[in-house]
Amino acid sequence: FEEAGGTERLAVDMARALRELGHEVDLYTTYLDERAWPLIAGPGDPKPKLIRPGITASLLRRLGGGRLARLRRIMAAAAAARALAALGGYDIYIDTQSNVPLLDASYIHYPAVLDYLAGDGAGVGPARRLYDWLVVREARRVAGRPLLVLANSAWTANRVRQAYGLEARVLHPPVDVARLLSLGGRKENVVLTVSRFTPEKNLEAVVRVASKVPEAEFYIVGSTSRYSGPVVRRLREVADALRASNVRFMFDVPRWKLEELYSIAKVYLHPPFPEHFGIAIVEGAAAGAVPVVYRDGGAWTDIASRIDPSLGYRTVEEAASIVRSLLEDGDRRAALLARAREAAKRFSYESFRAGLAEVVGELARMKGYQKAWT
């Protein structure tokens, strides 16, 4: 739990849903950021138990900060798996963080090895290629053959097949759709983006869109970590250079404030990053903000494209044009919003819990079959 992102929320929601289904559940982590925990957990969610990540993973954290996350997380997950196997006492083990096949079931957000396996090396320096190779080597060293592999979207499931040759079952992350559908409030010329302040999210593009749509207020809202400083400084530099005075940055906001922003936004703009799923996109749609999404990733294939193909973009200019048209054409926005709200209902917490119940039942049957033969 290094930050308040979708991966972390999924783990907390999964543990909560399993308890509601009548199971005894323990949540383990090799690191807990005390600032991030309140942003993703509810008042009834017990904190995860800490387990040692191993000497190498701890050293990589101190030396590399957030830049060696994939390698470090694989090492930490493998160390945790060994420790939990020695501890015993559990019927089913589920990994939600390493993004390699591990334990009884692995929930994969994006295959850890795919950047190396799918890349041709163009535009990538030798240091990055070496790092990706180390990730692949470590993943192959620790990987097992899970009974089930889960993926957060159909797009990710296809990547799991490409990376590991495994068929993954899609279990979309849960969204508190019912509460968001009930939000009221008068809509304003507000365009909202919710994202971690990290380099890969390409939030600079949102600032560039804002500079082309001065009639709207753009809010970029999200969680920070100790590695976010350079990202925030760069965003402010770009905003100043483009004279985009209509951009507002908000950091680590409480849930009530985020819902307030959802309730007034007319448009939800996701940055040009192939989001593996996109919880915030579903939240925006449920709360009444029409989503505009980059034409790649699970956010596009599983969410926005099912609302309307016109809501996808490739370039900053195209994104600005779509946003402006939605702000100007209230009738079209209303029609799209009705479809967006219907699409959001597919990703409710109740649907997630029902799907998880089927997964656990299948895992139990598989493990019973294994025991009978061993």
Side-chain angles (χ1 to χ4, degrees):
F1 288 92
E2 301 176 306
E3 54 197 5
T7 299
E8 292 75 22
R9 286 181 60 179
L10 181 281
V12 174
D13 286 336
M14 181 177 286
R16 182 188 306 137
L18 287 169
R19 291 189 187 99
E20 292 173 359
L21 290 167
H23 302 289
E24 296 181 45
V25 183
D26 286 326
L27 185 63
Y28 284 88
T29 185
T30 58
Y31 181 80
L32 177 65
D33 187 323
E34 294 289 349
R35 294 188 317 143
W37 180 252
L39 299 175
I40 54 178
D45 294 317
K47 281 187 177 180
K49 300 180 179 183
L50 286 168
I51 195 167
R52 292 184 181 276
I55 296 174
T56 305
S58 297
L59 184 62
L60 287 176
R61 171 180 292 283
R62 288 196 293 270
L63 295 179
R67 291 170 296 186
L68 304 174
R70 280 183 297 145
L71 180 60
R72 171 167 44 80
R73 287 173 183 174
I74 294 171
M75 290 179 171
R82 291 192 296 270
L84 290 171
L87 182 64
Y90 296 96
D91 298 306
I92 293 174
Y93 297 84
I94 303 175
D95 167 42
T96 65
Q97 178 66 279
S98 72
N99 288 316
V100 299
L102 198 67
L103 303 181
D104 295 327
S106 292
Y107 192 101
I108 294 182
H109 302 269
Y110 184 80
V113 304
L114 196 57
D115 286 353
Y116 181 82
L117 297 179
D120 59 5
V124 177
R128 173 59 186 269
R129 291 294 290 172
L130 174 61
Y131 171 66
D132 286 342
W133 177 81
L134 289 171
V135 168
V136 171
R137 190 184 71 165
E138 184 64 14
R140 286 174 173 163
R141 186 182 72 83
V142 307
R145 297 290 296 186
L147 299 174
L148 280 178
V149 177
L150 306 172
N152 57 5
S153 67
W155 182 87
T156 300
N158 185 49
R159 269 65 187 174
V160 170
R161 189 182 307 112
Q162 180 182 354
Y164 301 124
L166 298 172
E167 294 299 321
R169 175 186 297 187
V170 177
L171 181 64
H172 292 117
V175 181
D176 191 359
V177 172
R179 172 162 178 77
L180 292 163
L181 285 170
S182 69
L183 291 180
R186 183 175 58 84
K187 292 294 183 180
E188 302 175 15
N189 260 23
V190 167
V191 179
L192 177 63
T193 297
V194 180
S195 171
R196 297 191 309 273
F197 285 90
T198 52
E200 76 277 5
K201 293 296 187 179
N202 201 9
L203 290 169
E204 183 180 321
V206 176
V207 177
R208 296 186 181 278
V209 173
S211 71
K212 298 178 182 297
V213 191
E215 63 269 28
E217 292 290 322
F218 284 71
Y219 284 82
I220 303 178
V221 182
S223 62
T224 61
S225 67
R226 55 179 173 155
Y227 316 116
S228 298
V231 176
V232 174
R233 286 193 294 273
R234 175 59 183 167
L235 291 173
R236 285 178 168 152
E237 288 172 0
V238 173
D240 289 342
L242 296 176
R243 298 181 180 179
S245 59
N246 58 331
V247 180
R248 308 282 181 266
F249 302 107
M250 300 182 70
F251 311 109
D252 302 317
V253 300
R255 182 67 189 179
W256 67 266
K257 183 62 178 178
L258 180 58
E259 290 182 356
E260 182 181 282
L261 292 169
Y262 277 136
S263 70
I264 65 171
K266 290 181 178 178
V267 176
Y268 180 91
L269 173 61
H270 207 67
F273 170 77
E275 195 68 60
H276 312 146
F277 175 65
I279 291 175
I281 296 164
V282 178
E283 290 183 336
V290 178
V292 177
V293 174
Y294 185 61
R295 283 181 175 268
D296 196 5
W300 173 246
T301 61
D302 291 38
I303 305 171
S305 69
R306 301 189 181 191
I307 300 169
D308 194 282
S310 68
L311 298 177
Y313 71 91
R314 287 289 187 187
T315 66
V316 165
E317 291 73 19
E318 192 176 5
S321 176
I322 297 170
V323 168
R324 184 178 295 108
S325 69
L326 289 171
L327 295 174
E328 293 175 348
D329 191 341
D331 290 340
R332 177 170 176 264
R333 188 177 68 250
L336 289 171
L337 179 55
R339 297 174 65 177
R341 286 179 180 270
E342 283 301 313
K345 292 177 183 178
R346 298 176 51 238
F347 308 108
S348 69
Y349 177 78
E350 291 73 22
S351 295
F352 170 79
R353 186 174 57 192
L356 186 60
E358 294 179 2
V359 165
V360 172
E362 188 169 343
L363 283 169
R365 289 190 294 272
M366 288 177 166
K367 295 207 78 173
Y369 176 84
Q370 280 192 330
K371 290 176 182 177
W373 283 91
T374 57

